[in-house]
Amino acid sequence: MRVCVCTIVHHPEDARILHRQIRALLDAGHEVTYIAPFRACNVTPWREVSPVDVPRATGRRRVRALRAAHRALAEHAAYADLILLHDPELLVSMPRSVRARTVVWDVHEDTAAALTAKGWVPRPVRPVLRPAVRRLERRSERRHRLLLAEDGYRERFREEHPVVPNTTYVSDLPPGAPDGRRVVYVGHLSAARGAFDMIEMARLLAPEGIMVELIGSADADVRAALRDAQRENLLRWYGFVPNDRALRIAEGAMAGLALLHDEPNYRHSMPTKIVEYMARGVPVVCTPNPPAVEIVEPSGCGLVVPFADPAAAAEAVRRLRDDPEMRTGMGKRGYETARARFHWPIQAERFVAQLETWAGRSPALRPSSDPAPISEF
């Protein structure tokens, strides 16, 4: 099967797109053409894919990237059995020749709800954009295939669509015990994702010898504050690091942070970083978004703190520092839960089989235990 994957918004080494979905397609023996902003992100494409470079869409600068994606899809999608799109913008700019083909939209977020967290969208425009986004979703549902990243996204659509959750690779070897010297954050940094809260938390913890390490790209409105905090030696900010290497940095930390704010888009989205921390035996410190609480509290793998409360987050870190037995136990329980419930290869097989079915191919037989039907994602 030949698959054309396209994004102009996400980093080409996005964990879901590259390290999970494209990796799963390649492992299953399929060919992948990958349209993405390689040069803009200073990324060398994997040798296993056929790369097509396009500009990156950032903030309000999107027209050039959309035009380039339009041309790239018109040229390369003609050779594909299936087109997998990762940005809602691409649904608007699709060439006519592509619209009639098998197009799959991978729904990463609640786009309309996420408008409140996108600082580049002017506030007066947001109420106008929300209904437009909903109309685009309904039209796309009629015309194309949809994959959902969360069960919570089902209510936005009239039909049933398969869910491919954001899980992670979990080693069959248990990780080592977390230490008591540093805490980490892996993921994009923005105000809504708690960037300023983590800076303030670092300010509280630095005098006690606890280092806060932030691994990820950042929105323009938080970069200056991150650079200033780093110059003061309050924290380490690595910038973007590919997911596999970022998680190796995270290993051994005494806490993994997920201090999301109470935003509509986060109320029904499982923070993937929580599962990634658990998979590496890192205790979690998170805010009380329902999907996070539903994982952390029953498994006993971390501590929940109030929204936008850096002092409470710092105190949770101190508790973990002062109680090695507690943090070791949380790390162990988190790993065991991740291995049992969130191991990506289980989902990868179902993901590939679904795309094969939509492309009119018989799902390849691959060695595995009995996979559950797609509806059981």
Side-chain angles (χ1 to χ4, degrees):
M1 179 173 69
R2 291 166 294 184
V3 181
C4 181
V5 180
C6 184
T7 180
I8 57 173
V9 173
H10 297 276
H11 194 284
E13 292 189 307
D14 177 87
R16 178 177 175 86
I17 299 173
L18 183 67
H19 292 275
R20 297 184 190 120
Q21 294 186 354
I22 290 180
R23 179 80 273 164
L25 289 166
L26 294 172
D27 287 346
H30 298 303
E31 300 175 23
V32 175
T33 297
Y34 189 18
I35 302 171
F38 297 104
R39 290 181 187 173
C41 297
N42 195 29
V43 166
T44 300
W46 285 0
R47 287 178 295 177
E48 300 98 319
V49 305
S50 299
V52 180
D53 184 60
V54 291
R56 191 177 191 186
T58 58
R60 300 177 192 176
R61 294 176 293 180
R62 293 175 178 258
V63 174
R64 181 166 167 260
L66 284 167
R67 286 175 176 167
H70 181 97
R71 291 192 297 269
L73 286 167
E75 179 179 355
H76 296 281
Y79 304 100
D81 299 301
L82 181 143
I83 299 98
L84 179 58
L85 305 180
H86 288 273
D87 317 321
E89 295 94 327
L90 296 171
L91 298 166
V92 179
S93 64
M94 239 190 305
R96 288 187 179 180
S97 59
V98 175
R99 291 176 191 171
R101 302 179 64 79
T102 304
V103 175
V104 179
W105 174 28
D106 188 28
V107 184
H108 288 227
E109 65 179 4
D110 185 339
T111 310
L115 291 172
T116 60
K118 297 186 186 296
W120 59 269
V121 179
R123 288 183 180 275
V125 177
R126 294 173 189 175
V128 178
L129 282 180
R130 285 192 194 98
V133 169
R134 295 300 187 210
R135 286 195 298 271
L136 174 64
E137 290 178 344
R138 288 194 293 272
R139 189 182 72 178
S140 300
E141 184 178 26
R142 292 193 302 269
R143 295 181 177 179
H144 310 304
R145 307 287 191 173
L146 270 60
L147 287 175
L148 312 183
E150 300 283 349
D151 280 305
Y153 297 164
R154 292 180 187 272
E155 62 189 31
R156 289 158 50 196
F157 301 99
R158 295 175 181 176
E159 305 296 329
E160 284 293 316
H161 303 285
V163 177
V164 179
N166 266 329
T167 57
T168 190
Y169 294 94
V170 186
S171 172
D172 56 356
L173 297 175
D179 65 29
R181 298 185 300 275
R182 64 191 181 100
V183 299
V184 298
Y185 170 87
V186 177
H188 187 74
L189 289 150
S190 67
R193 294 170 186 258
F196 292 112
D197 301 328
M198 289 186 283
I199 292 171
E200 182 56 32
M201 186 192 74
R203 193 178 302 279
L204 295 171
L205 294 174
E208 302 173 39
I210 298 174
M211 179 56 66
V212 175
E213 299 183 338
L214 308 179
I215 309 167
S217 56
D219 281 357
D221 61 341
V222 301
R223 287 176 202 152
L226 288 167
R227 286 193 291 265
D228 290 344
Q230 184 156 250
R231 278 194 290 267
E232 294 178 52
N233 202 33
L234 299 179
L235 53 78
R236 294 192 190 106
W237 176 35
Y238 290 80
F240 180 85
V241 177
N243 186 254
D244 53 347
R245 297 204 292 272
L247 294 175
R248 285 199 292 272
I249 295 171
E251 288 176 3
M254 70 168 151
L257 304 173
L259 304 183
L260 301 175
H261 287 190
D262 188 17
E263 293 283 343
N265 186 42
Y266 301 148
R267 292 173 194 157
H268 44 67
S269 296
M270 179 186 74
T272 309
K273 59 181 60 60
I274 286 180
V275 175
E276 292 173 333
Y277 300 147
M278 293 165 63
R280 280 141 189 93
V282 176
V284 176
V285 174
C286 69
T287 46
N289 285 293
V293 173
E294 288 169 10
I295 296 173
V296 171
E297 288 191 342
S299 63
C301 69
L303 301 171
V304 180
V305 299
F307 291 112
D309 192 338
E315 185 56 34
V317 169
R318 293 187 188 101
R319 286 182 60 193
L320 291 167
R321 176 199 60 191
D322 296 339
D323 193 337
E325 185 176 341
M326 178 174 70
R327 68 173 184 260
T328 298
M330 286 182 171
K332 182 174 183 291
R333 290 189 293 272
Y335 165 77
E336 291 171 348
T337 301
R339 182 68 187 178
R341 293 179 53 194
F342 302 114
H343 190 34
W344 165 249
I346 298 170
Q347 308 297 343
E349 184 173 347
R350 301 168 184 168
F351 161 71
V352 172
Q354 181 64 76
L355 295 194
E356 290 170 341
T357 299
W358 281 339
R361 302 296 184 93
S362 297
L365 293 176
R366 286 177 284 276
S368 73
S369 56
D370 247 337
I374 192 79
S375 60
E376 293 184 13
F377 271 173

mmCIF file of all heavy atoms in Angstrom, residues 1-5 25 29-33 76-84 101-102 359 361:
data_model
loop_
_atom_site.group_PDB
_atom_site.id
_atom_site.type_symbol
_atom_site.label_atom_id
_atom_site.label_comp_id
_atom_site.label_asym_id
_atom_site.label_seq_id
_atom_site.Cartn_x
_atom_site.Cartn_y
_atom_site.Cartn_z
ATOM 1 N N MET A 1 0.855 -1.193 0.000
ATOM 2 C CA MET A 1 0.000 0.000 0.000
ATOM 3 C C MET A 1 0.886 1.236 0.000
ATOM 4 O O MET A 1 1.878 1.304 0.719
ATOM 5 C CB MET A 1 -0.897 -0.015 1.240
ATOM 6 C CG MET A 1 -1.823 1.191 1.373
ATOM 7 S SD MET A 1 -2.996 1.044 2.743
ATOM 8 C CE MET A 1 -1.900 1.159 4.170
ATOM 9 N N ARG A 2 0.515 2.229 -0.815
ATOM 10 C CA ARG A 2 1.239 3.498 -0.859
ATOM 11 C C ARG A 2 0.413 4.555 -0.133
ATOM 12 O O ARG A 2 -0.736 4.808 -0.495
ATOM 13 C CB ARG A 2 1.489 3.902 -2.308
ATOM 14 C CG ARG A 2 2.501 3.003 -3.028
ATOM 15 C CD ARG A 2 2.472 3.217 -4.515
ATOM 16 N NE ARG A 2 1.200 2.792 -5.081
ATOM 17 C CZ ARG A 2 0.914 2.790 -6.377
ATOM 18 N NH1 ARG A 2 1.816 3.197 -7.249
ATOM 19 N NH2 ARG A 2 -0.256 2.395 -6.809
ATOM 20 N N VAL A 3 1.014 5.174 0.876
ATOM 21 C CA VAL A 3 0.311 6.151 1.705
ATOM 22 C C VAL A 3 1.011 7.497 1.580
ATOM 23 O O VAL A 3 2.242 7.576 1.698
ATOM 24 C CB VAL A 3 0.279 5.713 3.188
ATOM 25 C CG1 VAL A 3 -0.482 6.739 4.035
ATOM 26 C CG2 VAL A 3 -0.350 4.332 3.320
ATOM 27 N N CYS A 4 0.242 8.544 1.348
ATOM 28 C CA CYS A 4 0.769 9.911 1.327
ATOM 29 C C CYS A 4 0.341 10.595 2.620
ATOM 30 O O CYS A 4 -0.853 10.780 2.868
ATOM 31 C CB CYS A 4 0.236 10.669 0.114
ATOM 32 S SG CYS A 4 0.864 12.358 -0.022
ATOM 33 N N VAL A 5 1.308 10.950 3.465
ATOM 34 C CA VAL A 5 1.052 11.590 4.753
ATOM 35 C C VAL A 5 1.426 13.060 4.629
ATOM 36 O O VAL A 5 2.484 13.391 4.089
ATOM 37 C CB VAL A 5 1.880 10.928 5.871
ATOM 38 C CG1 VAL A 5 1.614 11.598 7.215
ATOM 39 C CG2 VAL A 5 1.585 9.435 5.947
ATOM 40 N N LEU A 25 3.390 1.999 9.699
ATOM 41 C CA LEU A 25 3.187 1.712 8.277
ATOM 42 C C LEU A 25 4.447 1.116 7.655
ATOM 43 O O LEU A 25 4.387 0.159 6.882
ATOM 44 C CB LEU A 25 2.784 2.991 7.541
ATOM 45 C CG LEU A 25 1.372 3.507 7.839
ATOM 46 C CD1 LEU A 25 1.213 4.939 7.345
ATOM 47 C CD2 LEU A 25 0.315 2.603 7.205
ATOM 48 N N GLY A 29 5.493 -2.865 6.037
ATOM 49 C CA GLY A 29 5.925 -3.052 4.661
ATOM 50 C C GLY A 29 5.312 -2.114 3.653
ATOM 51 O O GLY A 29 5.422 -2.334 2.439
ATOM 52 N N HIS A 30 4.670 -1.034 4.117
ATOM 53 C CA HIS A 30 4.029 -0.102 3.200
ATOM 54 C C HIS A 30 4.977 1.029 2.802
ATOM 55 O O HIS A 30 5.948 1.325 3.513
ATOM 56 C CB HIS A 30 2.758 0.461 3.829
ATOM 57 C CG HIS A 30 1.729 -0.592 4.124
ATOM 58 N ND1 HIS A 30 1.226 -1.432 3.156
ATOM 59 C CD2 HIS A 30 1.121 -0.963 5.284
ATOM 60 C CE1 HIS A 30 0.342 -2.266 3.693
ATOM 61 N NE2 HIS A 30 0.265 -1.994 4.997
ATOM 62 N N GLU A 31 4.680 1.682 1.680
ATOM 63 C CA GLU A 31 5.470 2.811 1.197
ATOM 64 C C GLU A 31 4.839 4.108 1.683
ATOM 65 O O GLU A 31 3.617 4.265 1.638
ATOM 66 C CB GLU A 31 5.527 2.816 -0.336
ATOM 67 C CG GLU A 31 6.158 1.572 -0.946
ATOM 68 C CD GLU A 31 6.067 1.600 -2.454
ATOM 69 O OE1 GLU A 31 5.936 2.707 -3.032
ATOM 70 O OE2 GLU A 31 6.118 0.510 -3.066
ATOM 71 N N VAL A 32 5.672 5.046 2.123
ATOM 72 C CA VAL A 32 5.161 6.310 2.666
ATOM 73 C C VAL A 32 5.821 7.491 1.962
ATOM 74 O O VAL A 32 7.055 7.588 1.933
ATOM 75 C CB VAL A 32 5.402 6.417 4.188
ATOM 76 C CG1 VAL A 32 4.970 7.792 4.712
ATOM 77 C CG2 VAL A 32 4.661 5.309 4.929
ATOM 78 N N THR A 33 4.997 8.369 1.388
ATOM 79 C CA THR A 33 5.444 9.679 0.942
ATOM 80 C C THR A 33 5.055 10.662 2.036
ATOM 81 O O THR A 33 3.893 10.712 2.435
ATOM 82 C CB THR A 33 4.780 10.080 -0.380
ATOM 83 O OG1 THR A 33 5.180 9.155 -1.397
ATOM 84 C CG2 THR A 33 5.186 11.487 -0.795
ATOM 85 N N HIS A 76 1.749 14.385 -5.740
ATOM 86 C CA HIS A 76 2.167 13.112 -5.148
ATOM 87 C C HIS A 76 1.009 12.219 -4.700
ATOM 88 O O HIS A 76 1.182 10.997 -4.622
ATOM 89 C CB HIS A 76 3.093 13.377 -3.963
ATOM 90 C CG HIS A 76 4.368 14.050 -4.352
ATOM 91 N ND1 HIS A 76 5.430 13.378 -4.904
ATOM 92 C CD2 HIS A 76 4.741 15.366 -4.299
ATOM 93 C CE1 HIS A 76 6.412 14.224 -5.171
ATOM 94 N NE2 HIS A 76 6.029 15.434 -4.798
ATOM 95 N N ALA A 77 -0.153 12.799 -4.409
ATOM 96 C CA ALA A 77 -1.271 11.967 -3.950
ATOM 97 C C ALA A 77 -1.803 11.078 -5.057
ATOM 98 O O ALA A 77 -2.441 10.053 -4.790
ATOM 99 C CB ALA A 77 -2.386 12.846 -3.397
ATOM 100 N N ALA A 78 -1.534 11.443 -6.310
ATOM 101 C CA ALA A 78 -2.023 10.643 -7.438
ATOM 102 C C ALA A 78 -1.445 9.232 -7.423
ATOM 103 O O ALA A 78 -2.035 8.303 -7.986
ATOM 104 C CB ALA A 78 -1.673 11.342 -8.747
ATOM 105 N N TYR A 79 -0.281 9.072 -6.779
ATOM 106 C CA TYR A 79 0.371 7.764 -6.748
ATOM 107 C C TYR A 79 0.023 6.974 -5.493
ATOM 108 O O TYR A 79 0.518 5.861 -5.316
ATOM 109 C CB TYR A 79 1.894 7.954 -6.818
ATOM 110 C CG TYR A 79 2.345 8.739 -8.026
ATOM 111 C CD1 TYR A 79 2.667 10.086 -7.921
ATOM 112 C CD2 TYR A 79 2.427 8.141 -9.283
ATOM 113 C CE1 TYR A 79 3.074 10.822 -9.030
ATOM 114 C CE2 TYR A 79 2.828 8.856 -10.393
ATOM 115 C CZ TYR A 79 3.150 10.197 -10.266
ATOM 116 O OH TYR A 79 3.542 10.916 -11.364
ATOM 117 N N ALA A 80 -0.789 7.548 -4.629
ATOM 118 C CA ALA A 80 -1.068 6.915 -3.335
ATOM 119 C C ALA A 80 -2.395 6.160 -3.348
ATOM 120 O O ALA A 80 -3.344 6.537 -4.044
ATOM 121 C CB ALA A 80 -1.092 7.970 -2.232
ATOM 122 N N ASP A 81 -2.438 5.108 -2.558
ATOM 123 C CA ASP A 81 -3.697 4.386 -2.347
ATOM 124 C C ASP A 81 -4.551 5.071 -1.298
ATOM 125 O O ASP A 81 -5.769 4.885 -1.251
ATOM 126 C CB ASP A 81 -3.405 2.953 -1.894
ATOM 127 C CG ASP A 81 -2.624 2.168 -2.927
ATOM 128 O OD1 ASP A 81 -3.130 2.022 -4.052
ATOM 129 O OD2 ASP A 81 -1.495 1.737 -2.616
ATOM 130 N N LEU A 82 -3.892 5.879 -0.436
ATOM 131 C CA LEU A 82 -4.600 6.552 0.653
ATOM 132 C C LEU A 82 -3.819 7.798 1.037
ATOM 133 O O LEU A 82 -2.592 7.786 1.044
ATOM 134 C CB LEU A 82 -4.740 5.594 1.836
ATOM 135 C CG LEU A 82 -5.465 6.083 3.087
ATOM 136 C CD1 LEU A 82 -6.298 4.941 3.690
ATOM 137 C CD2 LEU A 82 -4.448 6.560 4.139
ATOM 138 N N ILE A 83 -4.559 8.874 1.356
ATOM 139 C CA ILE A 83 -3.947 10.135 1.779
ATOM 140 C C ILE A 83 -4.320 10.366 3.231
ATOM 141 O O ILE A 83 -5.506 10.367 3.591
ATOM 142 C CB ILE A 83 -4.426 11.319 0.910
ATOM 143 C CG1 ILE A 83 -4.030 11.106 -0.547
ATOM 144 C CG2 ILE A 83 -3.841 12.623 1.423
ATOM 145 C CD1 ILE A 83 -5.124 10.533 -1.411
ATOM 146 N N LEU A 84 -3.321 10.564 4.081
ATOM 147 C CA LEU A 84 -3.535 10.756 5.518
ATOM 148 C C LEU A 84 -3.148 12.185 5.889
ATOM 149 O O LEU A 84 -1.976 12.558 5.836
ATOM 150 C CB LEU A 84 -2.682 9.750 6.309
ATOM 151 C CG LEU A 84 -2.743 9.799 7.832
ATOM 152 C CD1 LEU A 84 -4.170 9.602 8.336
ATOM 153 C CD2 LEU A 84 -1.811 8.741 8.445
ATOM 154 N N ARG A 101 -10.407 10.914 -3.900
ATOM 155 C CA ARG A 101 -9.655 9.726 -3.514
ATOM 156 C C ARG A 101 -9.933 9.362 -2.052
ATOM 157 O O ARG A 101 -10.721 10.029 -1.375
ATOM 158 C CB ARG A 101 -8.157 9.968 -3.746
ATOM 159 C CG ARG A 101 -7.836 10.318 -5.203
ATOM 160 C CD ARG A 101 -6.375 10.580 -5.408
ATOM 161 N NE ARG A 101 -5.569 9.392 -5.141
ATOM 162 C CZ ARG A 101 -5.424 8.387 -5.990
ATOM 163 N NH1 ARG A 101 -6.009 8.434 -7.185
ATOM 164 N NH2 ARG A 101 -4.680 7.335 -5.679
ATOM 165 N N THR A 102 -9.293 8.311 -1.574
ATOM 166 C CA THR A 102 -9.486 7.900 -0.175
ATOM 167 C C THR A 102 -8.648 8.804 0.719
ATOM 168 O O THR A 102 -7.423 8.663 0.800
ATOM 169 C CB THR A 102 -9.075 6.431 0.022
ATOM 170 O OG1 THR A 102 -9.818 5.609 -0.878
ATOM 171 C CG2 THR A 102 -9.338 5.998 1.459
ATOM 172 N N ALA A 359 -8.277 1.480 2.186
ATOM 173 C CA ALA A 359 -7.613 1.557 0.879
ATOM 174 C C ALA A 359 -8.025 0.411 -0.038
ATOM 175 O O ALA A 359 -7.567 0.337 -1.180
ATOM 176 C CB ALA A 359 -6.100 1.554 1.060
ATOM 177 N N ARG A 361 -7.470 -2.800 0.576
ATOM 178 C CA ARG A 361 -6.499 -3.885 0.649
ATOM 179 C C ARG A 361 -6.884 -4.836 1.762
ATOM 180 O O ARG A 361 -7.377 -4.416 2.811
ATOM 181 C CB ARG A 361 -5.090 -3.336 0.928
ATOM 182 C CG ARG A 361 -4.592 -2.330 -0.098
ATOM 183 C CD ARG A 361 -4.448 -2.980 -1.473
ATOM 184 N NE ARG A 361 -3.887 -2.073 -2.455
ATOM 185 C CZ ARG A 361 -2.599 -1.980 -2.737
ATOM 186 N NH1 ARG A 361 -1.730 -2.720 -2.079
ATOM 187 N NH2 ARG A 361 -2.173 -1.152 -3.672
#
